[in-house]
Amino acid sequence: MTRVADVTDVPLTRWELAGPGSTGYAARFGALIEQGADIDGEARLADVLVDRGAAILDAGAGIGRVGAALAARGHRVLAAEKDPELLAESRRRYPDLATVAADILELTSARLAAEGHPAAYDLIVLVGNVIVLLAPETERRVLVTLRDLLAPAGRILVGFHPANGPAHAREYPYAEFASDVAAAGLRVEHRFGTYLLGAPAEDYVVAVLVHA
Ligand SMILES: C[S@@+](CC[C@H](N)C(=O)[O-])C[C@H]1O[C@@H](n2cnc3c(N)ncnc32)[C@H](O)[C@@H]1O
């Protein structure tokens, strides 16, 4: 296998700093899955943003629920997750979903290609409050990292609570997010308040990003 230089300076995420099992995220979604609840809202919107058989990166994939729903719709999905317990749960629940154990900051086209994955993505999903759970002060670095993985006409779907999110999440006012998006060489193509294309709202941000 081709050896690719490691990315150094990968700080602990807010998720890691919060400690293992502190949120109940995996148990909560696990219970919803067992009940047959609809947890595919993010994936349905993601699906309309791409052609059939698209290359999709699920960044901060958790237990893999969004990536698996997109794979079930015929896309080529790679789920990237740093938390070893969530990654194990993803591999147990969705054994056919391709995964990579990595911090988002460690994802480069060269590394992914060397490991047999697409080097560029038609869509990157960064949903379920991942952006407010990154390591402090890494939002722009993460956005640049993901921008560099986008195909020329690729898009990034982001979803988060700008305030009152998970207990250990940061507050991330929309204006600050939009400023970081622009600084990363991206632009907001669409903004909604829900995955059902509800109007922009104070309590939730759904944004589609493209190359500036
Ligand atoms: C609330 S969970 C959401 C998981 C999944 N996106 C979903 O919607 O089900 C937040 C996830 O973000 C991941 N995360 C946060 N920062 C990350 C980073 N820098 N690299 C990789 N994963 C990260 C955490 O490990 C955790 O799995």
Side-chain angles (χ1 to χ4, degrees):
M1 183 186 292
T2 313
R3 283 197 62 80
V4 176
D6 289 337
V7 175
T8 54
D9 185 18
V10 180
L12 290 177
T13 67
R14 287 186 162 86
W15 183 267
E16 292 172 294
L17 292 168
S22 60
T23 67
Y25 152 77
R28 189 170 72 254
F29 273 103
L32 290 170
I33 292 167
E34 312 313 336
Q35 291 161 19
D38 175 19
I39 56 162
D40 287 359
E42 299 97 330
R44 279 195 295 274
L45 177 53
D47 184 53
V48 304
L49 297 175
V50 286
D51 288 326
R52 301 306 82 198
I56 298 181
L57 174 67
D58 185 356
I63 62 169
R65 65 185 184 93
V66 180
L70 287 164
R73 287 163 169 79
H75 301 296
R76 294 169 290 139
V77 182
L78 175 63
E81 175 53 49
K82 188 179 189 185
D83 182 315
E85 286 183 19
L86 296 183
L87 194 60
E89 179 66 5
S90 172
R91 289 171 173 162
R92 187 186 71 75
R93 279 188 184 277
Y94 310 110
D96 294 334
L97 179 65
T99 55
V100 57
D103 191 292
I104 294 168
L105 291 170
E106 297 173 307
L107 301 178
T108 62
S109 292
R111 172 183 170 175
L112 293 176
E115 295 181 8
H117 304 298
Y121 291 82
D122 303 303
L123 179 69
I124 297 173
V125 292
L126 188 72
V127 299
N129 280 315
V130 176
I131 200 164
V132 289
L133 292 163
L134 301 172
E137 309 296 329
T138 61
E139 291 82 8
R140 290 188 184 189
R141 276 183 67 198
V142 164
L143 289 167
V144 168
T145 298
L146 297 180
R147 180 205 67 198
D148 287 348
L149 293 172
L150 276 186
R155 290 156 143 178
I156 304 175
L157 176 64
V158 189
F160 65 97
H161 285 96
N164 304 314
H168 43 280
R170 65 161 292 184
E171 296 210 347
Y172 201 18
Y174 179 78
E176 186 177 350
F177 165 71
S179 166
D180 288 344
V181 167
L186 295 161
R187 75 179 164 82
V188 178
E189 183 182 34
H190 302 290
R191 177 188 174 187
F192 307 107
T194 69
Y195 286 102
L196 297 173
L197 309 190
E202 293 296 314
D203 62 335
Y204 204 77
V205 173
V206 175
V208 178
L209 313 180
V210 293
H211 285 284

